[in-house]
């Protein structure tokens, strides 16, 4: 059974994943707090992401730039001018609405990338009124989506909370190019918060005002756009695509070699598309049918992109395929912008040439991915609910239970737990019937349940129950650690 958004919200709240921030004060729209299970799941996603993407090249590293950056950064990046949302204000109640969103709700189409004038006309033509009070809507106006800050005692230093982690990597490129022995490609990854003053935050953690991004900026030589040294690894690998030409039709599947020939995409770009897809299908174990890359047309692309395909997952609670990330070829847009405004040359000397490096960005919204993982892995069975996450993503890998709290079983179970928790994310539970304890752990995804029972006292073994099949095996206590390690790594 698939959860709808209300059920997912209820599940996330009641089972310790996430809920609206500052809840005891009535909640703070657009901001979410992660609870114990949500935090563990999020950290694991970030850890897996880090391991996978930094491993793509020996010259890829993680950095931690500041969340707050001076205004000049965003003049250079184009955000001050271009990072705007179309807003329609209600003349009666004063509420500001995202014009493209109210049109989307009304006409069930996507209106991103359409000009303010066109949106105003569409609102008028379709007689759309304020969804809150039915008042008349004023003309659509662009509104800068960044949070401004007044820094310093006098508040006279203009700054912004970063709207994307990417700029932190760009302003640090030159220094890292020098520190890291002047090699390309060079990858700088940032996992951290981004902030956007969304006009209408909605759909739980998929459109928030403060969210986490995991982004990898790959700086490379533009003369090598049509090659990749490990091209052979992916050339026959098939990627799932939804190009502009297929809108309203089905996805297509092409080998990377075919993508280059038929869709005229550069090899450097396509190599990374393949790696992103492998991350979703092979590491996160997302079913193939739920995944696709969607091409954005010139009108829809972010202002800095030359090539832009979104990473989409099919989320029935949100009505279909939704963007969870993107593969962006940003060219020299950002580094040239920073060269102009900082007045520091961003040209590098590499391979006997002087040039500005180009950027390929792999961008992921961590919270949207967490939301998707919960929806895609949650299932209801006859007498239980299971969050069937892969073992390395489950908040807890195992739970240890004494069958009863007497006859020395509890002491022995505690000893087993103390040993296992050194190597696994483990939890101990001795309250309620065994059936109820299984149910609780299945629902938050705990991969194994280990029960210490009366036989343990005689035979020194415990029951290991598998979350997905409910199958049980007996394992000697002294072999428990090794056996569970093997099982976790093979799942
Ligand atoms: N650096 C490129 C960039 O920021 P983006 O498409 O604006 O590109 C990247 O954002 C990802 O960040 C999105 O694919 C989405 O997963 C996530 N994201 C963007 N806005 C968000 C929001 N308001 N709430 C939650 N996630 C968001």
């Amino acid at each position: 059974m698939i959860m709808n958004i209300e059920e997912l919200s209820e599940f996330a709240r009641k089972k310790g994943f996430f809920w609206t921030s500052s809840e005891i004060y009535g909640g703070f729209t657009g901001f979410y707090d992660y609870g114990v299970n949500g935090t563990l799941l999020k950290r694991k996603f970030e850890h897996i992401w880090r391991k996978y993407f930094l491993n793509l090249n020996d010259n890829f590293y993680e950095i931690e730039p500041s969340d707050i950056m001076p205004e000049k950064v965003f003049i250079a990046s184009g955000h001050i001018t271009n990072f705007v949302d179309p807003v329609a204000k209600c003349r009666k109640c004063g509420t500001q609405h995202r014009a493209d969103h109210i049109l989307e709700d009304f006409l069930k189409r996507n209106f991103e990338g359409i000009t303010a004038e066109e949106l105003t006309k569409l609102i008028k033509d379709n007689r759309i009124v304020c969804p809150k009070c039915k008042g008349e809507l004023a003309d659509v106006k662009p509104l800068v989506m960044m949070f401004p800050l007044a820094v310093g005692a006098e508040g006279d230093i203009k700054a912004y909370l970063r709207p994307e982690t990417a700029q932190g990597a760009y302003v640090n490129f030159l220094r890292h190019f020098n520190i890291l022995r002047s090699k390309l490609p060079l990858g700088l990854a940032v996992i951290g918060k981004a902030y956007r003053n969304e006009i209408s935050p909605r759909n739980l953690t998929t459109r928030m005002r403060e969210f986490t991004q995991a982004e990898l900026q790959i700086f490379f030589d533009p003369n090598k756009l049509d090659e990749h040294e490990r091209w052979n690894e992916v050339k026959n690998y098939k990627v799932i695509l939804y190009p502009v030409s297929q809108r309203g039709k089905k996805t297509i599947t092409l080998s990377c070699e075919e993508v280059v020939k038929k869709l005229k995409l550069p090899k450097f770009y396509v190599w990374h598309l393949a790696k992103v897809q492998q991350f979703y299908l092979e590491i996160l174990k997302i079913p193939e049918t739920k995944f696709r890359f969607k091409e954005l047309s010139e009108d829809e692309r972010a202002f800095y992109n030359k090539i832009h395909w979104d990473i989409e997952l099919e989320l029935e609670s949100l009505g279909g395929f939704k963007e969870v990330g993107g593969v962006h070829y940003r060219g020299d847009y950002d580094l040239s912008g920073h060269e102009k405004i900082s007045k520091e040359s961003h040209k590098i000397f590499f391979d006997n040439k002087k040039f500005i490096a180009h950027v390929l960005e792999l961008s992921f919204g961590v919270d949207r991915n967490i939301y998707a993982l919960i929806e895609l892995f949650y299932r209801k069975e006859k007498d239980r609910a299971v969050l069937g996450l892969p073992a390395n993503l489950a908040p807890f890998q195992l739970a240890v239970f004494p069958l009863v709290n007497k006859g020395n079983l509890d002491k022995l179970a505690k000893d087993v737990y103390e040993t296992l928790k050194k190597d696994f994310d483990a939890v101990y539970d001795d309250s309620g019937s065994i059936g109820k304890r299984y149910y609780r752990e299945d629902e938050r995804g705990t991969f194994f349940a280990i029960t210490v029972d009366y036989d343990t006292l005689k035979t020194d073994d415990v029951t290991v129950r598998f979350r997905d099949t409910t199958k049980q095996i007996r394992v000697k206590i002294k072999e428990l650690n090794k056996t569970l390690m093997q099982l976790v790594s093979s799942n």
Side-chain angles (χ1 to χ4, degrees), residues 1 41 106 118 163 166 186 193 310 331 357 402:
M1 193 208 75
L41 172 55
F106 196 77
E118 286 166 326
L186 162 65
K193 294 280 188 171
D310 276 342

Side-chain angles (χ1 to χ4, degrees), residues 17 34 50 65 71 154 186 231 234 269 290 319 344-345 371 375 391 408 423 425 451 460-461 479 491:
F17 284 84
Y34 280 78
R50 183 181 281 119
E71 187 182 37
E154 306 288 326
L186 162 65
W231 177 248
V234 304
Y269 185 88
K290 300 280 178 191
E344 187 165 344
S345 167
Y371 179 102
E375 173 177 323
N408 246 355
D423 293 313
D425 290 312
T451 308
D460 259 352
D461 56 10
E479 282 160 19
N491 277 281

Side-chain angles (χ1 to χ4, degrees), residues 260-277:
V260 171
K261 287 205 184 102
K262 293 191 179 157
L263 302 184
K264 310 268 178 277
L265 288 178
K267 279 189 180 168
F268 194 76
Y269 185 88
V270 177
W271 191 87
H272 289 91
L273 274 188
K275 292 294 161 184
V276 167
Q277 180 174 305

Side-chain angles (χ1 to χ4, degrees), residues 379-397:
R379 63 175 193 270
K380 270 220 151 114
E381 293 178 359
K382 209 166 77 224
D383 49 8
R384 64 175 191 148
V386 186
L387 188 60
L389 291 163
N392 54 358
L393 276 169
F396 288 97
Q397 289 159 324

Side-chain angles (χ1 to χ4, degrees), residues 164 196 198 207-208 213 215 304 323-325 361 363 365:
E164 57 168 357
R196 296 181 188 177
E198 295 281 356
R207 191 169 291 281
M208 297 194 278
Q213 290 185 320
E215 297 193 304
Y304 41 74
E323 172 201 345
V324 294
E361 173 185 60
S363 172

Side-chain angles (χ1 to χ4, degrees), residues 147-176:
F147 284 108
L149 294 173
V151 176
E154 306 288 326
D156 54 351
I157 306 165
K158 274 194 173 174
Y160 290 90
L161 284 170
R162 65 182 180 198
E164 57 168 357
T165 68
Q167 297 304 323
Y170 303 147
V171 299
N172 279 292
F173 166 68
L174 282 182
R175 180 170 297 283
H176 280 98

Side-chain angles (χ1 to χ4, degrees), residues 83 163-166 196 198 205-209 211-213 215 217 304 308 310 323-326 328 330 361 363-369:
F83 198 56
E164 57 168 357
T165 68
R196 296 181 188 177
E198 295 281 356
T205 51
T206 67
R207 191 169 291 281
M208 297 194 278
R209 291 180 165 139
F211 54 97
T212 304
Q213 290 185 320
E215 297 193 304
Q217 311 302 324
Y304 41 74
H308 184 162
D310 276 342
E323 172 201 345
V324 294
H328 309 149
R330 296 174 72 135
E361 173 185 60
S363 172
F364 300 77
V366 176
D367 310 276
R368 282 195 195 172
N369 277 281

Side-chain angles (χ1 to χ4, degrees), residues 24 40 83 136 168 212 232 260 274 293 391 401 419 448 458 479:
I24 58 167
L40 277 166
F83 198 56
E136 189 199 347
T212 304
N232 284 346
V260 171
F293 288 112
F401 310 144
T419 310
F448 304 109
K458 292 180 238 149
E479 282 160 19

